[in-house]
Each structure stands twice: as C-alpha cells, then as structure tokens.
Amino acid sequence: MIQKILEQLPGTDCQMCGMSCADFAAFLLSGDLSPQECPVLQEDAYADRREALAALLESLKARAKSGHLIDPDKCNGCGICLIVCEYNVANDPESRRGKGPSKDAKVVLRIVNGRVVLADETLCTRLLQAADKCSKCQDHCPTQAIVLI
Amino acid sequence: MTHKTVTSLVCCGCSCLCDDIDAVIDEDRVVETANACRWGAARFLGLKKFSSGLPRARCRSSRRCLHDKQWKDLPLGEAISLCRDHLFFARRVVAYGLGQMSSEALWILMQGLRDWETLWIPSDGPMLEAFVEAYKRQAPALTHLECVRNQADLVVFWGANPLRSTPRLLSRYGLFPRGRFTERGAEDRKAWTVDIQATEMGRVTELATIPSDHEKACVEALRRAHAGGPMEVPAGLSAKPWATLLKDVEKSRYRVFFFGRGPLYHEHGPAVLEELALWVSELRASAPTFLVPILCDFNSMGFLQIFLSCGGSANPKWRLQGDLRRWEPRPGDVLLALSGDCFWFLTEDQKNAVRQHHIPVLALSAYETTTTAHADVVLAVGLQGLDVSGQAARLDGMTLFAEKLWADAAASDEAVIRKLFDPHAEIGNPCAPRP
Amino acid sequence: MRAKTLIFQSGTVFDPVTGCEGSTRDIAVCGDRIVALEHVSDVDEIVDASGMLVTAAAVDCAAHVAFPGVWALRAAGLFPDGEVLVRRYAERGFGHVHESWATLFDCGTVQAEWARMPGPDISVGLGLPLYDLTTWMEAQDAATAHTALEHLWATLGTHGCYLPEPRLRFRDDVYKHREKSAQELVPFFLEACRGVPGPIVLPARSLLREDLEVLAPGIHVQRAALLTEQGAACPFSVLADAIGFGMSADLGLAWPEKAVELTWVPPDDVSGGRLWDVGSFLLLKASPVPEKDFRDEEEAARFLAKGLPEGWAFSCRQANLALVQDWEGLIRAVLEVWGVREWFLATRAQAARALGFSDRGHLAPGARANVALYREPEEDTAAGWAKALSRCERLYVGGREIFDGRRGLLVPPSPRDRCVGTAPEGFRAELFAPFLDGMSLRPETLRRLAPRAGEP
Ligand code: SF4
C-alpha cells in the first residue's frame, strides 16, 4: 500500500516536508500527516495525482488500526479467518475447534450477519506485537475479503 | 426493548446444519446473527441468498389461482383439500424439491404415496441419483464429518466448491479445524481441489484444473498410476499436479474425497463418480478412504435416508430421477412442488406441456417463487428453524432437530402433509388468510 | 380416563418365570401392565386364547437394524427396508428390540430411523469409545464422569452402553503415549457407570485374552451382555471359563440366506465389504455372507446351551436377528439341541435381564404388557414347536395390539412417544464439554438429538 501511495507522490525526495517521499508516504498511511503537507503536490501539474491520492486515502479510512481492511461484499462468512487467527486459536478453544466463538468469548474476528467483522482489533497480533508478525486471516481468506494494510 | 439473545441455533441454510448460531431476536424477527455464514444469515434475516441486502418475499397466505393470475386466498385447510382433490385424480405424482422439507414431513409424504405411481425429483437429484447408483455397484466407505475433522490427513474436493455450496464446511469440519488427532488443523492435512476451472478453493487448497471431458480419464490415470503403472494423463495436460496429488494420496493415512455437483452438470458425471468410487474402494487397501457427497439442500440426506428406508428403490411404482429436465409431462400428472422452485428450472417445452396437459401445479412453499406464481394451489408453510420445528439430516447423515424461534402462526410442512393424506388431522396453527 | 382392561382367556401359558409351562390360565392386562386376575373388576375386552400359547413377547437383546449408514446397504439391495424389519419382528412375536449402539452424534439418526419403524418397544445403547472420557480419566475424576454419563443417558434417552473396545489405541505414533490398557481403564469406567441402568456391551471380537482378567468380575457385576462372535480374538471356551453368569451371548448362528454380517475391524484391515467410520478407532464393516445351513452351527448351539443355566440370552450372529429369513429353520436347529423351556428363557426372561429390564420377558403382575400369542404346536417335536413359534398370531405391546396374523401390522400411526429423551430438568450443557472435545457440535445440541425433546 505504501508503494501505491508513493506512486502518487511527486517522487522528487525534495525534503520540503522534512523527509523522503517514502517516509512521507508511511506517515500518510498511518494518518499522522496529510497530503496538504507536501508543498510540491499542491502544484497544478500534480492535480491528477492529488485527486487520486485523496481517493486512495479515503478508501483506507475503513482500515482498522490493526490494518484490516474488510470488504463485506466479498466476504461469504465461511469463518476460515476465525479459525486461523493466531489470537483466536490460542485463546478461544471453541474457535480452535471450528465452532463459532460463543457470544462473550474474547476474539479478534467474528462473523456477524454473515460477514466478518473486527470484534476487538486491540487483540490482534499485529497490534500486540508487530504488523509483520501475522497475516494469517488475509493469507487464508479465499475470497480476498480481508486485506491487511 | 424486546430484544433477546438466543444461542446455539441450528441453521437450515445448507447441509452443514451448523449448530452454533447465536442470534438477536425482536418478537418474530431475527435482527442479528453471529457465526452464520452469508447464506445462513440471509435465511435468518429474511434476505435473498445471492443479492445481499434485498428482502426475500415470504409466502404468507395459501391461495388458489382462479384464472388469468387472479388469486383467491383460502384458509390453509381448504387449500389442502383442494390439493387432495387434485391428487385423487392423479395417474402419476411428480414430487419435486424435497430437500428443503423436514424429515417428519418427508416420511409422512412417502407413507402417503407408497401405492402411487410417483416420480421423485429432489432438487439435489443428480447427486442423489448418481450416489444411489454408485452404492449399487461400488462400496465406497462412509464417514462422519466429525471423523473427518479428527482424523483426515488428506481431503480432496472433486468438482466441489464448498465455499459456494456449504460455506462453513472447510472451517468447521473439512480442512481447518483442529480435531482430536489433527491438532495442528490445516497443517496436518494435505488438501486438493480438482475442478474444471480455477476457483477460490485454489487459495486454500492445491488446485488441479481439468477439462470436463477429461475428468474420467484423469481418475483412470490416477488409478492406474496408483496400481503401479506410469502416470498417463490425457494429452494436453501436465502430469505434474497429478503426480503430486497421487503422492499426497499415497502418503496419507486417512483420506476423504468430497464429491461436488460440478461433474454432474455434464452427462459423463455419473461415470466420473463411478470411477472415483472404484478408486476409493481400491485405495482402502492401504488406508481408510472415504467418499462423501456434498449435498446442498439442508435435508437432501434426510430425503435419501427416508426414501431408502421406505423401500424406495425397490418400490415398482416409484422412480428416483436426478434431472428435472428429463421429466416429460404427460396427461394425468400432478406436480407437487415441495419447497423447491421447480419452474425456475423447467424448460420452455416442459412449461408448455404442463399447460397443454392441464397438469395441476400444487406448491408448498415458505417463499414466493416462480413456482408459486405458476401454481394452481399454493400452501404457505413456515420456515424450519425459524417459524416451525423439524428434523433434518446433515450431509453426512447426522440427524438434528431444528427448533422454532417463536410462537408463530405458520403451519409446518409436517402438519400440512399429514392433513393432505388424512383429512381429520389437525394442522395446528394454520396461517390466517391475508385480509 | 380409566385404563383399558383386557383378559387373555383359557390360553396355554408358557412362562418359566412364573412357573407356568403349559398350564391353562387367564392373563389379565390393565393399561400397559400385566395385573393379577383378582384385581380386575370391569373387563373391556376378552381375547379368546383357547388353542393358543400365551407367552411374554420376546426381547431382541442386541439388534443392529437402524445403525447409521444403513441406507447405503439398502441402496445396494443388501438390507431390507424398515417395514420388512418391523413386520419380521412382529411376526416372530418380538415386543422389545434393543439397538446395541448409536454413537453420540448418531443418536438422533438411529432414533429417527426407529421412529419410522413403529411397532415394538425399543431401547438404544450409547456407543461410547472410551477416549470420549479422556478428560476425566486423566484427572481420575470418576465422580464427575458419573454425573455427566447419567445426565447424558437421560438426555438422549439411551439405555446402557456399548464399548467398541475396553482400551485406548491410536493410529499415529505421536499419540502412543496416551494408549491405555483395559487394566488401567476398566476400573475407572465401572466406577463412572456405577448404578446407571442398562447393560454394558462389548463385542467379543475386540477383546484380548488379558482383558478378561479385569473384565470378567467387573462385567458380571454390571449385568453385562457380552456378545460372542465367531472368529473373536478370544474363543468361546476362554470366555466361558472366564466369565460367570448374568450375561447374554450371541448364538453365533449364521442365517442360511444371502445377507450381510456386521463386524468391527481395525483401520488397518479395511479391504472388502462396506465400511463406516462411526467415530471409534474401529471401523464397522458389512460384508455379504454365503448361504449356510443352521444345522452346521450345531456345535455353537451346544456350546451356548451350556451357558443357558448361567443366564445367557439369545441373539443372532452379528446380532441381526431380523435379517434371518428362515426363522422356523433357525428355531428348529436350536430346539434340536436345547429344550423348549430354554428357548423361552433365552429369548425372553434372560434377554430382558441382560438388558437390565425387570419388567419384561415374563408375565408376572407388574410386567409391561408385552404379550405374544402363538398357535399350539401340532406335535411335541422340535419341528412342531419350531413351526408354532415361528409365526406369532397376535402381538401386544404395552397392552395395545400391534400385530394380527390375519390382518398384519396394526401399528399406531405416531410412534413419537417411543424414542424421546427425557430432557432432564436443569439441562447442564457444560457437563458435556469433554464428550464434545472431538466434535464440531456445541454441547447444547445434544439436547436436540433426541427427537422433540427440546421443542419449545
Ligand atoms: S454453512 Fe450452511 S448451515 Fe452453516 S451457517 Fe452457512 S448456510 Fe447455515
């Protein structure tokens, strides 16, 4: 995703924002900086990129802190993510065995109304440890409804 | 707030019969489900299965068609006796659907029709017919989904895409669950999908694609290679995935082949199943190997069990037919469309013949469908697991009871079928006609 | 409403338990029970039984006719349909059939199958692979296991249990350290089963010689029905030496028609026949048996006759009595070795006792009114008796007539009252969690396996 954002930046590494384009892209993704803070991008020549970047960042708004971006239209509720989720497997014996977690179980993901939802993103290994530690739900999702960013 | 949470409901959305559905209920409406897949949730929430978010029209009143699509609502009892009159004159009953009925209703139906010329066409018919034929000649072994999750170290989905037919099969039983002796879940298993095109299954299993006219040849090739011969796949196919598949088969100690509907869309489908059943029987010499049909309707297996327990295959007056399109409507037929949308699948020729021969169409349904729109009499029933209770058999044969969620006025298919054959039977709570 | 009373008048009563072996007597029934004649005042119906043998209805103490997957045999034309099976039981005067096992997840299937075969009383044993008890076994917590088992049997409405093996064995080497012998397991198991009704049944084929040291005394106390099978790892004679009385035995007779026999086989012996994995470490195998004459089995009959005074009961080889088509031939072959009295004991009183039912298999007041009427034999020979006993004229179950030789089956339209679990008050789903360790079902679901028990 950083790569996609980077493609929309001027790519001059002019440091006018105080850093390289790549670092700036990372801050855009984390939401700590906004596109307005890149002076070069505000030039007319970059109007198209500005719009594309705004659209891209808009689409990322639904992204959770843990990085999950879930497309409910793609999800068919098969529940594979619940059973491969590292936290669920380690902490919820029901999920481990392929049964749906009970209503007060502490789990990261749940299937509600036939679609996967983040029940508690703070339990996700990506937040507890590091973002690159786990991507199982994304890797095993057959319909690519879960994307980790 | 009248909301209440109920837990561990049985979902009659497909033949997985998941029993872990939690739901929030408001009076006689489900407002939220947990754990049910998309199909299951749609059923609970009253939505269409494939177009998410759109409400699915329920059949709320029993009625008869006067003429020119003019309907007259009737009390259920009257509508049933109209059907009884039609049946009285039937020279042959054509019973379609069946897989979405309760086991109790199916049993009463078969008791009632035992001396009638009957053509049975379940909506999962092609699969059921092919398997009944396969059991006549081969002896592929049977197993339970619980045994699969506990023991299987090889699962093969042949012509099957459970993500589309039985979405939770993979997470609950087939591939991912950590069972008693497969504690590492999917890591303890090799998984393969064989299909005529690449499907989503390719993301969770190994995938071997195959042109549909080569399917049988591929099973033969695997069989021969397993028997010690060289791997000779049909021309144009790469031998590599098949050799790997065979290696995985040979290394495994408990194998399950799930057979899907796919091959049966082609006329050589039964031959593929036959060949596979033969291979599965041979494979048993080295380790337990099983063949399991993936049925779609939630009670297709119940239909099969009851049909055979009632002496169905030996009854000279009965015939089990897989494909609806092979039905040649003739004068004297009465079409009983039982919780299945028959008209959706009929060809134009068949529809014309139905009209031409004045074949009465009697529909029992919980939903408004193309068939209820074409029917002469419509019997409105409740939905199993929501409005009414009833038994059903999971795809491996395990029988469960799905309870109703509220005291609704809807009649069960069991009560309706009972009254169809016994005018004195009580219907319980009949659906009130629309005002 | 007053219970209906009924008198079987002037019949020749054959009931070894009450000491009647051919005397002419009246038998009175009130509601579903046999009552003493002197307690009957108003009589609703008198059944003229003159010229008839009046006996307690027979009990099949080990049937396998509604097991899961039987439909695959039916598709192959190897197994009769439900109606034929029920008719055969009725024609032979059987008023109670014990289906030996249904595993936890098959309970609903087996009971639903029986619900579609209205006629005799039925009971179903719970097939219980011992690894379902592992959690408690490891904690040596027999008390909790006992509570859970009691609760489970009440919920499912099952009667007694069937152990495929008295051991724990595993397929993969990684689990070898969990294996346990009968010596380690059986004492725990018996403790957990203390006081629960019904028999504990073991297929003899799965027994090892050394198991008997620990099994014999334990099983005797538990009124176990031990069904010997030919070809068992443990031969008849070893069993006979090792085990005392209070047990039933499979007669080990094959039927002369083409049919199937059911056996348990280890997973490494999986060739031939039709196979099921029903969730224990043994697979169930059905294989066709060649035609055979009952008289070839005389030795087996002689051997089992020795066990009769010890309380052994009669069931058929691989416990598929309803599959025997030449029933008359079978009775005759048996009677040529045994006596008539022994036949009645082995098919009635002792069979009921092996199942733990004190109110069946005899005609003493208080017994359930399961009564079978046969014609009196024309001649007092094995052939004459076999002819008479092979065809029941009238059969009553619970005081209701369910079969009449001329009119056929008169079964009640709704068999539902028969197989309902009792759904104990205060259903404690949490107790079942260890059973469901290896299953995808939620514990609450067990309540739904027994038909109708959970309907709101
Ligand atoms: S997999 Fe089938 S039974 Fe399970 S929730 Fe989905 S539709 Fe319902």
Side-chain angles (χ1 to χ4, degrees):
Chain A
M1 188 50 64
I2 291 191
Q3 197 53 41
K4 277 196 181 159
I5 297 177
L6 195 54
E7 280 166 19
Q8 306 303 339
L9 293 178
T12 51
D13 278 338
C14 63
Q15 308 271 340
M16 282 167 77
C17 58
M19 59 192 92
S20 68
C21 285
D23 290 343
F24 186 72
F27 281 112
L28 284 181
L29 180 60
S30 67
D32 292 325
L33 291 177
S34 73
Q36 282 72 31
E37 283 158 277
C38 170
V40 184
L41 196 61
Q42 312 311 319
E43 291 168 12
D44 283 351
Y46 291 106
D48 287 353
R49 291 200 183 188
R50 220 161 46 223
E51 267 167 40
L53 185 61
L56 188 61
L57 292 175
E58 183 62 32
S59 76
L60 292 181
K61 273 208 177 135
R63 185 186 73 114
K65 279 211 184 60
S66 50
H68 288 81
L69 182 61
I70 295 172
D71 182 346
D73 286 340
K74 283 189 182 161
C75 173
N76 74 345
C78 66
I80 291 174
C81 47
L82 268 64
I83 190 172
V84 295
C85 168
E86 272 192 5
Y87 181 89
N88 285 12
V89 163
N91 296 284
D92 182 43
E94 300 283 275
S95 301
R96 213 185 132 72
R97 296 189 189 110
K99 312 180 195 195
S102 66
K103 63 182 191 336
D104 24 55
K106 276 176 78 174
V107 284
V108 180
L109 296 161
R110 269 180 191 285
I111 306 290
V112 174
N113 291 342
R115 311 285 204 281
V116 64
V117 295
L118 266 172
D120 189 347
E121 60 185 300
T122 60
L123 300 176
C124 174
T125 309
R126 296 170 59 87
L127 272 185
L128 286 180
Q129 296 178 24
D132 56 357
K133 276 273 186 268
C134 180
S135 59
K136 292 213 164 132
C137 53
Q138 168 185 273
D139 300 347
H140 288 96
C141 176
T143 59
Q144 294 182 313
I146 298 181
V147 180
L148 294 170
I149 301 170
Chain B
M1 280 291 261
T2 49
H3 283 190
K4 76 172 187 216
T5 303
V6 282
T7 57
S8 304
L9 306 178
V10 174
C11 172
C12 296
C14 76
S15 56
C16 284
L17 289 182
C18 297
D19 71 327
D20 57 352
I21 315 299
D22 300 335
V24 180
I25 297 181
D26 175 18
E27 305 256 328
D28 59 353
R29 209 164 56 91
V30 174
V31 292
E32 187 182 291
T33 64
N35 299 334
C37 74
R38 188 159 170 176
W39 309 157
R43 184 183 161 98
F44 277 109
L45 298 168
L47 304 174
K48 289 197 177 174
K49 186 168 168 182
F50 296 109
S51 335
S52 51
L54 296 182
R56 184 160 184 200
R58 287 290 305 276
C59 189
R60 297 283 179 194
S61 65
S62 299
R63 57 186 190 249
R64 68 185 294 193
C65 183
L66 300 173
H67 44 77
D68 295 339
K69 296 268 174 272
Q70 293 290 306
W71 294 99
K72 180 175 174 4
D73 283 352
L74 294 176
L76 180 59
E78 270 180 45
I80 296 175
S81 56
L82 255 180
C83 293
R84 200 180 305 123
D85 296 346
H86 279 300
L87 275 182
F88 185 78
F89 293 106
R91 259 175 276 155
R92 177 172 74 165
V93 178
V94 180
Y96 173 82
L98 304 154
Q100 307 257 11
M101 297 175 83
S102 67
S103 294
E104 291 93 337
L106 286 168
W107 189 65
I108 300 169
L109 179 73
M110 290 187 207
Q111 293 296 306
L113 291 176
R114 53 191 294 151
D115 298 323
W116 298 57
E117 198 73 44
T118 308
L119 187 59
W120 299 92
I121 314 179
S123 24
D124 262 332
M127 187 72 103
L128 296 177
E129 190 190 7
F131 263 84
V132 168
E133 290 304 313
Y135 286 125
K136 280 184 192 159
R137 284 186 286 272
Q138 312 293 346
L142 308 178
T143 185
H144 278 277
L145 293 177
E146 316 295 341
C147 306
V148 177
R149 74 193 288 284
N150 280 333
Q151 304 217 50
D153 56 0
L154 174 86
V155 281
V156 179
F157 298 90
W158 198 288
N161 183 352
L163 291 164
R164 299 278 161 157
S165 53
T166 46
R168 296 183 71 206
L169 182 73
L170 297 177
S171 63
R172 270 172 77 78
Y173 318 97
L175 180 52
F176 288 100
R178 289 149 202 266
R180 199 175 247 150
F181 311 112
T182 46
E183 284 171 359
R184 297 181 309 147
E187 285 168 45
D188 278 340
R189 301 186 173 96
K190 292 271 183 226
W192 279 84
T193 302
V194 180
D195 214 323
I196 54 170
Q197 63 200 13
T199 66
E200 304 98 315
M201 289 296 287
R203 301 214 180 85
V204 280
T205 65
E206 301 293 333
L207 182 75
T209 51
I210 184 177
S212 68
D213 45 349
H214 286 338
E215 238 171 315
K216 180 163 180 257
C218 280
V219 188
E220 277 167 354
L222 285 164
R223 266 189 67 208
R224 271 196 304 268
H226 174 67
M231 174 66 79
E232 286 167 343
V233 292
L237 285 184
S238 142
K240 193 156 165 252
W242 302 101
T244 324
L245 170 58
L246 184 65
K247 219 187 305 131
D248 285 347
V249 168
E250 285 172 348
K251 273 203 308 241
S252 54
R253 316 207 23 208
Y254 192 106
R255 316 152 178 147
V256 183
F257 286 76
F258 286 100
F259 192 79
R261 175 82 199 264
L264 297 166
Y265 285 114
H266 306 279
E267 84 260 35
H268 46 255
V272 178
L273 175 60
E274 186 89 18
E275 191 67 25
L276 197 59
L278 188 62
W279 190 38
V280 162
S281 305
E282 289 169 2
L283 279 171
R284 274 186 8 207
S286 52
T289 312
F290 303 91
L291 182 62
V292 180
I294 297 196
L295 301 164
C296 301
D297 286 347
F298 76 85
N299 201 19
S300 281
M301 186 43 106
F303 168 79
L304 186 65
Q305 287 178 345
I306 299 170
F307 183 81
L308 294 167
S309 303
C310 287
S313 43
N315 187 334
K317 296 198 157 170
W318 285 8
R319 204 151 71 77
L320 175 66
Q321 178 177 303
D323 188 357
L324 176 63
R325 293 177 188 224
R326 287 204 324 258
W327 170 43
E328 289 170 12
R330 60 185 197 214
D333 278 357
V334 169
L335 176 60
L336 267 181
L338 300 165
S339 296
D341 192 359
C342 179
F343 272 71
W344 180 265
F345 300 102
L346 287 180
T347 60
E348 280 311 310
D349 286 350
Q350 284 175 310
K351 285 186 204 162
N352 290 337
V354 168
R355 270 191 292 273
Q356 193 192 335
H357 301 311
H358 303 288
I359 292 174
V361 179
L362 315 175
L364 175 140
S365 185
Y367 292 115
E368 292 294 358
T369 61
T370 336
T371 307
T372 57
H374 279 85
D376 295 283
V377 187
V378 174
L379 305 170
V381 291
L383 266 185
Q384 188 168 333
L386 282 97
D387 314 314
V388 297
S389 312
Q391 258 183 11
R394 198 167 71 178
L395 67 93
D396 59 348
M398 191 195 78
T399 302
L400 272 182
F401 189 69
E403 294 135 337
K404 59 182 178 182
L405 303 183
W406 39 68
D408 187 83
S412 65
D413 51 5
E414 175 189 4
V416 171
I417 300 287
R418 176 170 287 125
K419 184 144 183 85
L420 186 62
F421 293 104
D422 173 10
H424 305 296
E426 291 283 326
I427 316 179
N429 298 317
C431 280
R434 251 194 315 232
Chain C
M1 219 172 70
R2 192 176 65 89
K4 185 177 158 188
T5 51
L6 173 76
I7 288 186
F8 297 98
Q9 206 168 49
S10 317
T12 307
V13 177
F14 225 103
D15 182 34
V17 171
T18 52
C20 276
E21 294 183 24
S23 49
T24 305
R25 256 184 52 191
D26 295 350
I27 297 285
V29 168
C30 179
D32 63 354
R33 297 279 143 183
I34 307 272
V35 290
L37 208 52
E38 54 273 26
H39 291 157
V40 176
S41 46
D42 297 327
V43 180
D44 296 305
E45 189 187 343
I46 292 183
V47 177
D48 179 12
S50 47
M52 299 275 213
L53 284 174
V54 179
T55 74
V59 175
D60 184 356
C61 58
H64 298 318
V65 294
F67 54 93
V70 64
W71 46 268
L73 287 178
R74 289 193 170 125
L78 291 173
F79 211 84
D81 61 63
E83 202 191 312
V84 170
L85 293 172
V86 172
R87 191 161 13 86
R88 285 203 192 143
Y89 273 122
E91 281 170 359
R92 292 159 193 190
F94 278 77
H96 185 109
V97 179
H98 180 72
E99 182 76 31
S100 298
W101 58 264
T103 48
L104 214 46
F105 44 88
D106 278 328
C107 247
T109 316
V110 169
Q111 293 186 332
E113 184 73 29
W114 265 108
R116 294 191 281 269
M117 297 196 278
D121 285 337
I122 63 139
S123 50
V124 179
L126 180 68
L128 199 66
L130 283 181
Y131 54 69
D132 279 349
L133 305 180
T134 324
T135 315
W136 296 301
M137 227 129 56
E138 276 163 8
Q140 279 299 305
D141 184 1
T144 315
H146 176 73
T147 317
L149 278 173
E150 261 188 333
H151 204 59
L152 182 68
W153 294 1
T155 303
L156 296 173
T158 51
H159 183 81
C161 70
Y162 190 97
L163 303 187
E165 293 189 303
R167 289 179 294 286
L168 285 189
R169 288 185 309 153
F170 295 102
R171 179 192 66 188
D172 291 331
D173 288 343
V174 265
Y175 300 108
K176 288 288 178 221
H177 64 281
R178 293 203 200 153
E179 296 206 333
K180 284 196 165 48
S181 66
Q183 273 77 359
E184 291 169 88
L185 284 181
V186 170
F188 176 87
F189 180 67
L190 292 179
E191 176 67 12
C193 287
R194 191 177 20 91
V196 287
I200 296 165
V201 182
L202 282 134
R205 181 180 284 252
S206 73
L207 297 184
L208 302 175
R209 223 167 258 258
E210 63 260 27
D211 296 342
L212 293 174
E213 282 170 29
V214 18
L215 276 171
I219 283 204
H220 168 182
V221 173
Q222 290 287 318
R223 292 189 312 270
L226 190 104
L227 309 170
T228 65
E229 288 169 4
Q230 283 190 327
C234 181
F236 284 148
S237 50
V238 177
L239 286 175
D241 291 346
I243 300 169
F245 35 88
M247 41 173 295
S248 98
D250 188 326
L251 188 53
L253 293 181
W255 41 90
E257 297 86 4
K258 282 207 177 73
V260 288
E261 66 176 352
L262 291 165
T263 43
W264 295 95
V265 293
D268 47 14
D269 170 22
V270 287
S271 50
R274 281 168 192 265
L275 281 191
W276 290 266
D277 186 345
V278 293
S280 71
F281 268 83
L282 298 171
L283 300 173
L284 183 68
K285 176 150 111 179
S287 15
V289 283
E291 293 191 19
K292 216 172 179 187
D293 192 320
F294 294 121
R295 276 160 304 197
D296 298 343
E297 306 279 355
E298 197 186 305
E299 196 199 336
R302 230 176 262 294
F303 164 75
L304 288 165
K306 283 194 217 140
L308 287 172
E310 315 277 17
W312 291 22
F314 173 88
S315 81
C316 218
R317 172 159 168 188
Q318 322 310 351
N320 270 326
L321 190 144
L323 292 185
V324 179
Q325 287 172 46
D326 183 9
W327 185 236
E328 186 182 334
L330 182 141
I331 305 180
R332 186 174 161 179
V334 175
L335 288 185
E336 276 164 6
V337 183
W338 303 3
V340 174
R341 176 172 192 273
E342 285 70 24
W343 171 259
F344 277 115
L345 278 172
T347 53
R348 282 143 169 99
Q350 290 176 185
R353 208 173 71 195
L355 294 178
F357 289 114
S358 55
D359 67 344
R360 266 150 240 220
H362 60 83
L363 295 173
R368 183 159 164 84
N370 292 358
V371 182
L373 274 61
Y374 301 86
R375 288 216 172 282
E376 282 198 59
E378 281 162 18
E379 44 176 301
D380 189 13
T381 58
W385 277 95
K387 186 156 182 243
L389 291 176
S390 63
R391 190 153 172 92
C392 173
E393 290 296 320
R394 304 178 83 163
L395 177 67
Y396 291 76
V397 170
R400 280 204 292 187
E401 186 173 15
I402 67 154
F403 175 77
D404 179 312
R406 280 153 308 160
R407 290 184 292 158
L409 272 175
L410 317 164
V411 287
S414 168
R416 205 180 286 154
D417 51 343
R418 205 175 42 173
C419 333
V420 175
T422 45
E425 278 172 38
F427 177 75
R428 293 172 60 195
E430 79 285 355
L431 271 178
F432 297 147
F435 288 120
L436 291 163
D437 227 26
M439 272 187 245
S440 30
L441 300 181
R442 278 202 180 166
E444 291 84 349
T445 300
L446 289 185
R447 196 168 40 94
R448 296 205 183 87
L449 296 176
R452 300 275 163 187
E455 192 176 6

